[in-house]
Amino acid sequence: MATPTPELRHQVIRIYKELLFLGREYPLGYEYYRPRLHKAFASQASLRDEEKIKQGIKRAEFVKKEIEALYYLKRYRTLRQRYDEMASA
Amino acid sequence: MTSLKILVPVKRVIDYAVKPRVNKTSTAIETANVKHSMNPFDELSIEEAVRLRERSLPVTDILAFTAGPAKSSDVLRTALAMGADRGMHVVVDEKKGELEPLGVAKLLQKVVMEEERNVVILGKQSIDDDANQTGQMLAGLLNWPQATQASKVDIEDDTVTVTREVDGGVETLRAKLPIVITTDLRLNEPRYASLPNIMKAKKKPLVKKTMEEMGVDLGKRLQTVKVQEPPARKGGEKVEDVDGMIRKLKELGAL
């Protein structure tokens, strides 16, 4: 495959792997998560403009942060419900 | 300023999102083929230790410790990925059953002595047996001050200021190092152990020890009589009008 810069290609693969790793704990299941992630990346595969690829990577970083925040909040809320008497009263 | 040598004990427990099942003999919770992860309160302690360093306090070393079956190494790796410097794993034979809080406290006392720690940050309790005892027992054994259920920790020179949420307000404690601190849910927001950090953590030192090497008496003092599921919740009921509600309340003996 003729990609403009190997460096960008490397970055894309790295963020894809990180997102895949995050998906192992996705509440709706890895089976739900993986095809959607794959589709999201595949739909951008034809990008050749470096600026656009960089924007795509930024978006992926943003999604990664969002998923981490989702996991944190989900756990925090569950624990608060279980352990914080003030919250459940 | 005194350099901080922090010990953070962590425990591998059934994941918080898994619904626990009682085993057939009603003696324990089923742990085989169940997803496990680090006790959430212990994640808070690791995070706090790492944040103390990031606030450029003189943290020389963060030691993550665990005692448990071979698979407990996984949670140590997570701790290392979050920012601990090295790990120590005392391998416990799974067949011998759970360690009791007192046993763990004695193990920790030994580690504190051998590794010359001056701060221990523990989760206030583990989400499997919810004992909420280990930190307090450790402080007792060491004869150190303790600040339980911390929601804020400040260290200046060798003075530690801990804020804790109590009924109807906040309480501020001040003590000199060394100290035992246990964490409350609102202390901080633990970071996610990302893939690259987990990879890097594989290079960090992790020591394995056996119970015999530790030479601590871990005899059982507690006996679990029975483990039961909580009674199933009964569904609600709709009433037609106010009279119906009053009748229902009288039936239930609430009026």
Side-chain angles (χ1 to χ4, degrees):
Chain A
M1 199 167 73
T3 16
T5 47
E7 175 54 28
L8 279 181
R9 181 182 150 81
H10 184 68
Q11 281 180 25
V12 170
I13 293 172
R14 189 169 56 196
I15 186 76
Y16 181 69
K17 279 187 181 167
E18 279 181 38
L19 283 165
L20 259 188
F21 176 76
L22 269 174
R24 300 188 311 170
E25 284 176 49
Y26 200 71
L28 292 170
Y30 193 56
E31 299 312 311
Y32 174 95
Y33 181 95
R34 205 176 71 99
R36 278 165 181 78
L37 179 68
H38 188 260
K39 219 172 102 190
F41 272 76
S43 70
Q44 306 293 314
S46 59
L47 286 188
R48 284 298 171 269
D49 180 9
E50 283 201 13
E51 270 316 302
K52 286 213 171 120
I53 297 175
K54 277 181 192 156
Q55 274 172 23
I57 293 172
K58 263 196 193 143
R59 206 172 92 205
E61 295 279 359
F62 172 76
V63 171
K64 186 181 122 195
K65 283 206 185 96
E66 289 282 298
I67 296 174
E68 283 177 9
L70 166 82
Y71 290 171
Y72 168 70
L73 272 177
K74 187 169 172 267
R75 190 176 53 204
Y76 175 78
R77 286 187 182 140
T78 317
L79 287 171
R80 202 167 107 98
Q81 228 166 27
R82 281 184 203 163
Y83 287 102
D84 204 327
E85 281 136 42
M86 308 271 264
S88 55
Chain B
M1 184 162 173
T2 325
S3 66
L4 304 173
K5 300 191 189 87
I6 308 181
L7 171 66
V8 186
V10 297
K11 186 176 183 183
R12 175 177 177 266
V13 298
I14 294 182
D15 191 77
Y16 82 96
V18 175
K19 192 178 185 312
R21 301 263 171 225
V22 176
N23 68 3
K24 285 197 185 82
T25 48
S26 289
T27 49
I29 297 294
E30 201 63 69
T31 52
N33 302 321
V34 175
K35 187 186 172 202
H36 283 69
S37 50
M38 191 197 294
N39 177 31
F41 290 108
D42 298 343
E43 287 188 359
L44 292 156
S45 1
I46 294 274
E47 179 68 30
E48 192 59 25
V50 177
R51 283 192 189 193
L52 286 175
R53 168 179 284 158
E54 286 171 353
R55 269 190 261 151
S56 32
L57 287 164
V59 177
T60 36
D61 180 37
I62 302 173
L63 170 64
F65 172 89
T66 195
K71 280 183 185 158
S72 298
S73 285
D74 296 350
V75 303
L76 270 189
R77 289 288 174 208
T78 312
L80 296 175
M82 288 174 73
D85 299 312
R86 56 201 178 93
M88 187 191 283
H89 180 188
V90 172
V91 185
V92 181
D93 189 356
E94 235 164 315
K95 288 173 207 111
K96 283 186 184 152
E98 276 267 296
L99 291 175
E100 291 172 3
L102 182 61
V104 179
K106 283 179 180 167
L107 273 177
L108 292 175
Q109 181 192 17
K110 182 120 195 194
V111 177
V112 166
M113 296 302 187
E114 281 178 359
E115 301 281 336
E116 295 173 339
R117 304 286 103 182
N118 55 9
V119 180
V120 187
I121 310 179
L122 307 90
K124 66 167 175 168
Q125 65 197 70
S126 63
I127 62 166
D128 51 1
D129 56 18
D130 285 322
N132 193 346
Q133 293 170 350
T134 310
Q136 290 87 328
M137 285 176 171
L138 175 65
L141 288 171
L142 290 165
N143 200 19
W144 284 10
Q146 60 172 329
T148 56
Q149 305 184 17
S151 62
K152 191 166 185 284
V153 177
D154 273 317
I155 302 180
E156 207 172 307
D157 297 326
D158 58 352
T159 309
V160 185
T161 311
V162 173
T163 311
R164 48 203 303 271
E165 288 175 20
V166 292
D167 286 344
V170 290
E171 182 180 63
T172 310
L173 299 177
R174 191 167 295 139
K176 293 257 183 233
L177 290 173
I179 191 169
V180 174
I181 300 170
T182 74
T183 61
D184 195 12
L185 195 53
R186 260 181 291 277
L187 180 60
N188 55 42
E189 299 98 48
R191 67 198 65 191
Y192 196 83
S194 69
L195 183 59
N197 284 342
I198 287 180
M199 291 321 218
K200 276 179 221 152
K202 289 191 175 160
K203 294 202 185 82
K204 290 186 179 176
L206 198 164
V207 190
K208 285 198 186 210
K209 292 197 170 193
T210 61
M211 292 299 261
E212 289 72 34
E213 280 176 81
M214 297 305 288
V216 174
D217 161 36
L218 295 164
K220 283 230 174 289
R221 286 152 193 270
L222 301 172
Q223 187 195 353
T224 305
V225 184
K226 198 177 179 191
V227 179
Q228 253 180 318
E229 301 238 1
R233 249 182 83 119
K234 286 194 193 115
E237 201 180 324
K238 269 195 178 168
V239 289
E240 287 298 315
D241 48 17
V242 177
D243 288 342
M245 183 174 83
I246 291 171
R247 207 179 320 120
K248 208 73 216 166
L249 285 173
K250 278 190 177 150
E251 268 175 42
L252 293 167
L255 283 180

